[in-house]
Amino acid sequence: MTSIKLPYGKEHVSLEIQEERLNAVLVSELHHYKPEVGQTELVKNAMDNPIGSEKLCDLAKGKEKIVIIASDHTRPVPSKIIMPLMLEEIRKGNPEADITILIATGCHRETTKNELVQKFGEEIVNNEKIYIHDCDDDSMLVKLGILPSGGELIINKLAHEADLLVAEGFIEPHFFAGYSGGRKSVLPGIASRQTVLANHCSEFIADPKSRTGILEGNPIHKDMMWASRKANLAYIVNVVINAEKEVIYAVAGDMEKAHAKGCEFLSKLCRVKAVPADIAISTNGGYPLDQNIYQAVKGMTAAEVTVKQDGVIIMLAKSNDGHGGDVFYNTFRDEADIKKTLDLFMSRDRNKTEADQWQSQVFIRVLQKARVIYVSDSDDQTVMDFHMIPAKSVEEALKKAEEILGNSKATVTVIPDGVSVMVIE
């Protein structure tokens, strides 16, 4: 038997599998990469040697209003390391700068005070100006033009009015934007709901270039880049993290050039070749990315690439924060025929895209490839409403998968962290 640890919430569970059934364990080399220096020094070195940009302290000189875009509670960005260094660097160049930390919630719920403290620490939360973006608050939004796709670019007023706009973030594989980080701080991070919906339209989600690890020719990425340039995003600090959410690499500087360098590093370590199997087991990398069913779709897309047609995906995601969105949930609860739902999505104009349609569209693609058994803390009815099969342990899920396939020796490919790898066919 082979024992494999799988992240689940803030803990791990163990999968025991016979060696002869195990086709492969697809693991990102990120988890084995050991940097020569510590986390803080990595970020500081990146900021001391910005790519395609002046240092942040020099950019800050003479700037009165400075806005730092920061990720929200759904992203494991090590802000306790990054943010103090950015604040220090800004004040080194301009001690009197009026600094606002703008939380990029996208279309997510508001970040709580406790989540801010967990993210930044009490000192920053108690002493810095922090504003949480609300994609539906028209009083705090401003129109900047028309995206290449035809959607309207509307972003947070604080970012637009800043004399200097900068951002922190992290780079990981992204299931339709190619990679996270960089330009995503602006779109979807601080954009209006209308803008996000237009960018995440069914046509773009269906595009074969809108996939993990692809930037060239990706229409979603093209819109995001245009939006960030229009917003004058001048400088970023982005990191790559391992399974322990520790910084192993950092870049700083120009929004496009620094991000490209980070993506290049990441790609070398986390591209893995698909190994087809009857059963594919994946996770969302544990907390904080496995807090709801909505986010768990990302980890499923890694399994989607390596599972055989009409096979079974076993997805582990604690989902202690529920399903992640009423519209997302109702889409699957209220219609038994997922093909009808997909046809409806594809018939919609990009400017009439509805909330969470993109996630539903990707999820339908997964469900059309394989049955999904969902291991979580969610109640069984909620899981079934999503057209999935509930299970409370990986052992129970594996048994159910064997029953579905009618094969107690069905082959298995395991992806311990489905959001840290780029599985390539």
Side-chain angles (χ1 to χ4, degrees):
M1 298 288 281
T2 298
S3 181
I4 303 167
K5 283 177 65 179
L6 302 171
Y8 184 77
K10 294 183 179 180
E11 301 172 346
H12 286 79
V13 298
S14 293
L15 165 68
E16 305 292 332
I17 188 81
Q18 297 99 324
E19 289 183 19
E20 60 270 20
R21 293 181 59 190
L22 185 62
N23 276 11
V25 180
L26 305 183
V27 181
S28 168
E29 290 300 314
L30 282 177
H31 304 326
H32 305 297
Y33 182 85
K34 300 294 182 186
E36 294 181 358
V37 298
Q39 300 182 76
T40 300
E41 194 170 347
L42 282 169
V43 176
K44 194 171 188 314
N45 287 346
M47 294 178 67
D48 286 342
N49 299 278
I51 300 166
S53 164
E54 294 180 87
K55 290 184 179 181
L56 183 54
C57 60
D58 293 324
L59 291 173
K61 289 176 181 175
K63 304 297 194 302
E64 185 179 341
K65 291 183 179 179
I66 298 178
V67 171
I68 308 173
I69 304 174
S71 60
D72 72 357
H73 57 283
T74 66
R75 303 292 183 262
V77 179
S79 300
K80 284 182 180 177
I81 293 170
I82 302 171
M83 191 58 68
L85 293 174
M86 293 186 77
L87 291 168
E88 179 184 353
E89 188 79 356
I90 289 170
R91 289 181 172 129
K92 177 181 172 184
N94 186 356
E96 304 303 317
D98 178 5
I99 303 172
T100 299
I101 299 171
L102 176 58
I103 307 299
T105 53
C107 294
H108 302 152
R109 67 165 172 81
E110 181 178 348
T111 303
T112 67
K113 173 79 177 289
N114 185 52
E115 287 166 337
L116 289 174
V117 171
Q118 288 182 358
K119 183 174 183 58
F120 297 113
E122 289 190 2
E123 184 175 344
I124 285 178
V125 173
N126 292 336
N127 295 295
E128 301 292 342
K129 287 201 301 185
I130 299 177
Y131 186 88
I132 300 171
H133 172 68
D134 181 348
C135 68
D136 296 313
D137 183 1
D138 290 339
S139 69
M140 289 299 296
L141 298 170
V142 60
K143 298 177 181 180
L144 295 187
I146 303 298
L147 294 162
S149 63
E152 194 163 24
L153 176 60
I154 306 169
I155 68 166
N156 191 282
K157 187 188 295 185
L158 293 177
H160 175 61
E161 293 176 349
D163 299 321
L164 176 64
L165 182 65
V166 301
E168 56 131 60
F170 85 127
I171 304 171
E172 65 170 349
H174 190 278
F175 66 132
F176 58 74
Y179 298 86
S180 68
R183 73 282 186 243
K184 278 185 98 266
S185 292
V186 172
L187 175 57
I190 57 163
S192 73
R193 186 179 299 275
Q194 178 184 338
T195 297
V196 175
L197 296 179
N199 176 252
H200 291 17
C201 66
S202 60
E203 176 192 345
F204 284 2
I205 296 296
D207 192 300
K209 294 286 189 181
S210 299
R211 295 291 187 274
T212 303
I214 300 176
L215 295 180
E216 187 69 32
N218 185 327
I220 294 171
H221 167 68
K222 183 179 179 181
D223 261 11
M224 291 175 173
M225 288 296 296
W226 192 93
S228 293
R229 290 195 184 102
K230 194 71 175 175
N232 294 319
L233 180 60
Y235 177 98
I236 64 168
V237 179
N238 277 190
V239 299
V240 176
I241 60 176
N242 61 17
E244 283 70 49
K245 313 296 189 278
E246 298 167 337
V247 178
I248 61 167
Y249 187 77
V251 290
D254 177 75
M255 174 266 298
E256 183 174 5
K257 294 175 182 176
H259 183 252
K261 185 76 172 176
C263 291
E264 180 185 350
F265 170 86
L266 182 69
S267 180
K268 287 178 181 176
L269 290 180
C270 68
R271 279 183 181 265
V272 294
K273 184 76 174 169
V275 182
D278 303 314
I279 302 169
I281 302 175
S282 184
T283 82
N284 237 45
Y287 180 87
L289 292 179
D290 75 345
Q291 292 181 81
N292 58 56
I293 296 172
Y294 181 94
Q295 292 292 339
V297 173
K298 296 176 182 178
M300 293 182 206
T301 62
E304 174 198 9
V305 181
T306 202
V307 72
K308 293 178 181 178
Q309 182 66 45
D310 301 320
V312 176
I313 291 171
I314 296 175
M315 181 67 198
L316 284 78
K318 192 173 179 68
S319 308
N320 53 298
D321 199 26
H323 49 64
D326 288 337
V327 176
F328 176 61
Y329 172 56
N330 295 340
T331 295
F332 292 92
R333 183 195 62 186
D334 297 343
E335 176 54 70
D337 188 343
I338 57 174
K339 187 180 183 307
K340 280 186 182 178
T341 305
L342 182 59
D343 289 344
L344 174 64
F345 291 165
M346 296 306 298
S347 70
R348 282 182 185 149
D349 180 87
R350 65 169 41 85
N351 289 308
K352 293 184 179 178
T353 302
E354 294 191 358
D356 298 334
Q357 176 181 300
W358 53 90
Q359 206 84 348
S360 298
Q361 186 175 342
V362 174
F363 186 34
I364 288 170
R365 194 182 74 210
V366 172
L367 292 171
Q368 289 179 325
K369 178 81 180 284
R371 300 289 299 276
V372 177
I373 301 174
Y374 198 71
V375 181
S376 71
D377 286 7
S378 292
D379 65 275
D380 289 357
Q381 187 58 54
T382 297
V383 174
M384 290 188 289
D385 286 343
F386 276 104
H387 304 200
M388 298 188 292
I389 300 162
K392 294 304 177 188
S393 70
V394 68
E395 293 81 11
E396 179 189 352
L398 196 55
K399 186 176 179 181
K400 287 186 175 184
E402 292 164 0
E403 290 171 354
I404 290 167
L405 296 167
N407 183 2
S408 62
K409 296 183 179 179
T411 56
V412 179
T413 291
V414 181
I415 309 170
D417 186 347
V419 294
S420 75
V421 296
M422 293 188 288
V423 184
I424 309 300
E425 288 185 280

